[in-house]
Amino acid sequence: MTTTITSHRTRPPAQPPTLKARRLPRYAAPAIALVALLVAAGIVYGAGIGGPVLVVVLGALLYLAGLFAAANAVEGRRSARNRTWSALIHSAFVLAVLPLASVVWTLVSKGAERLDGNFFLTSMNNIGARDPNGGAYHAIVGTLEQVGIAALITVPLGILCAIYVVEYGRGRFAFAIRFFVDVMTGIPSIVSGLFVLAFWVLVVSPMFNDGRPGFSGFAAALALSVLMLPTVVRSTEEMLRLVPAPLREGAYALGVPKWKTILRVVLPTALPGIVTGVMLAIARAAGETAPVLLVAGGGAAINFDPFENNQSSLALFVYQQAGDASRYAPARAWTAALTLVALVLVLTIAAKLLARRNRLGR
């Protein structure tokens, strides 16, 4: 019996599977962006059809197209779409940050000219058009007093109103409150100033001022409180609605009264969001010009009494100096604008830190 042995061609051993895929090198995206900007600059300036803004926009479009083409050729269509959408999101973020960075740079570069002791320690009283001195001390005092009084009026009222709407309000009355708060949100600042002018300055204040209308910082605070109230109410309402229901139910199950549950459980939980809404309202009030001009009248002298005589504010000071014919006025306006932004920033950071500390302390 003959045994036949058939020889088969030996196959190479199978390669182990790998999860690695072809990827673009790290320098590919920056290189594509640089080439896109250069090409865009050559097209725009070569054809004479625009400036730097058009170069950036056209460069962004060329960058997205180039990135998609390169990724599609190396990594595949799915990865190319992912890279393109990621780059589009990052580009949108950069475009959103650029105006903010431009505003900050402009404020700092132009407002630094008058950052001196004379600006913060003197007023514009007896300052002529040819006098390079003069400052915004009276306006800083007015802003702090007016916004402080407005906050004292608005914050408790707005928070209590939001608590009623969320925790107690039912039926038509709660619906009416929400409706009028939404309407007040869109009221122009000039309307609030006219309202306080017609009601407080021309009707109420003459009773305490020998029949004469009384322009004052307190009247400006009333007008600012009208603008702040809807922001405080709406932001507080939304934050209270975000508090989980099991927190309330757990407190009720332990026999805690509703008012104490709101005070000790609901409000502390929503405090960071409430503080954010309050600071947004304060920032809006600090930057208003029309109400202060209508009911406080402005002024060049220092006035520490918010209930008597005219009073200025930083926003009104910026408006007046920007329209002044003196060649020293624009520098004062820019420094006052920088001071206003810095003041709001400091108040916001302090409020955030205070809210965070209280929350951690509990």
Side-chain angles (χ1 to χ4, degrees):
M1 185 175 181
T2 305
T3 304
T4 305
I5 300 176
T6 306
S7 62
H8 297 278
R9 182 179 298 177
T10 58
R11 298 178 180 178
Q15 296 293 331
T18 178
L19 297 178
K20 293 184 179 180
R22 298 176 63 190
R23 303 282 296 177
L24 285 175
R26 293 184 178 181
Y27 60 84
I32 294 173
L34 179 60
V35 172
L37 285 177
L38 293 176
V39 173
I43 294 174
V44 171
Y45 290 116
I49 56 176
V53 176
L54 185 59
V55 170
V56 173
V57 173
L58 183 58
L61 295 177
L62 294 176
Y63 167 70
L64 293 175
L67 182 64
F68 178 82
N72 187 40
V74 176
E75 301 176 350
R77 189 174 185 83
R78 183 176 181 180
S79 180
R81 288 199 299 266
N82 179 63
R83 279 185 176 272
T84 303
W85 281 105
S86 299
L88 186 61
I89 293 172
H90 294 156
S91 301
F93 170 75
V94 172
L95 290 177
V97 170
L98 280 178
L100 176 61
S102 176
V103 169
V104 172
W105 172 254
T106 304
L107 280 176
V108 173
S109 60
K110 295 189 176 182
E113 182 178 349
R114 284 299 315 275
L115 284 177
D116 50 42
N118 181 266
F119 182 83
F120 293 103
L121 298 177
T122 61
S123 68
M124 291 298 296
N125 198 25
N126 299 324
I127 299 296
R130 297 183 178 181
D131 194 342
N133 295 320
Y137 181 67
H138 62 299
I140 297 173
V141 171
T143 295
L144 292 176
E145 290 185 351
Q146 294 163 20
V147 175
I149 294 174
L152 289 176
I153 296 173
T154 306
V155 173
L157 183 62
I159 293 177
L160 291 175
C161 182
I163 291 175
Y164 172 78
V165 170
V166 175
E167 304 291 341
Y168 296 97
R170 298 292 185 273
R172 296 182 178 179
F173 185 62
F175 175 79
I177 291 177
R178 295 190 188 96
F179 174 76
F180 284 110
V181 167
D182 291 338
V183 171
M184 289 177 63
T185 304
I187 290 180
S189 59
I190 190 71
V191 175
S192 67
L194 288 173
F195 168 73
V196 175
L197 176 67
F199 170 69
W200 181 265
V201 176
L202 300 180
V203 176
V204 178
S205 64
M207 301 178 184
F208 308 96
N209 198 27
D210 298 329
R212 294 174 298 164
F215 294 88
S216 63
F218 180 73
L222 292 178
L224 297 179
S225 65
V226 174
L227 298 174
M228 293 173 60
L229 184 61
T231 304
V232 175
V233 174
R234 292 298 295 171
S235 61
T236 304
E237 180 184 351
E238 295 300 325
M239 291 302 106
L240 293 179
R241 292 187 187 279
L242 291 177
V243 177
L247 290 179
R248 297 180 175 88
E249 295 169 356
Y252 298 154
L254 294 174
V256 180
K258 187 170 185 176
W259 68 269
K260 188 173 288 187
T261 300
I262 296 171
L263 186 63
R264 302 299 298 272
V265 176
V266 177
L267 284 179
T269 305
L271 183 60
I274 295 174
V275 170
T276 300
V278 169
M279 295 314 302
L280 287 175
I282 289 177
R284 182 191 177 186
E288 292 293 344
T289 303
V292 181
L293 181 62
L294 280 175
V295 299
I302 301 172
N303 179 18
F304 290 100
D305 189 354
F307 298 98
E308 290 186 6
N309 300 325
N310 292 10
Q311 196 175 55
S312 185
S313 69
L314 279 172
L316 182 57
F317 181 80
V318 172
Y319 169 76
Q320 291 172 340
Q321 292 299 310
D324 200 318
S326 173
R327 66 188 182 95
Y328 302 106
R332 300 190 195 107
W334 281 111
T335 306
L338 178 60
T339 303
L340 180 59
V341 173
L343 181 63
V344 173
L345 179 62
V346 169
L347 291 176
T348 302
I349 294 175
K352 286 287 188 180
L353 292 177
L354 182 62
R356 182 173 178 269
R357 179 181 178 183
N358 290 341
R359 190 175 184 182
L360 293 176
R362 290 189 299 273

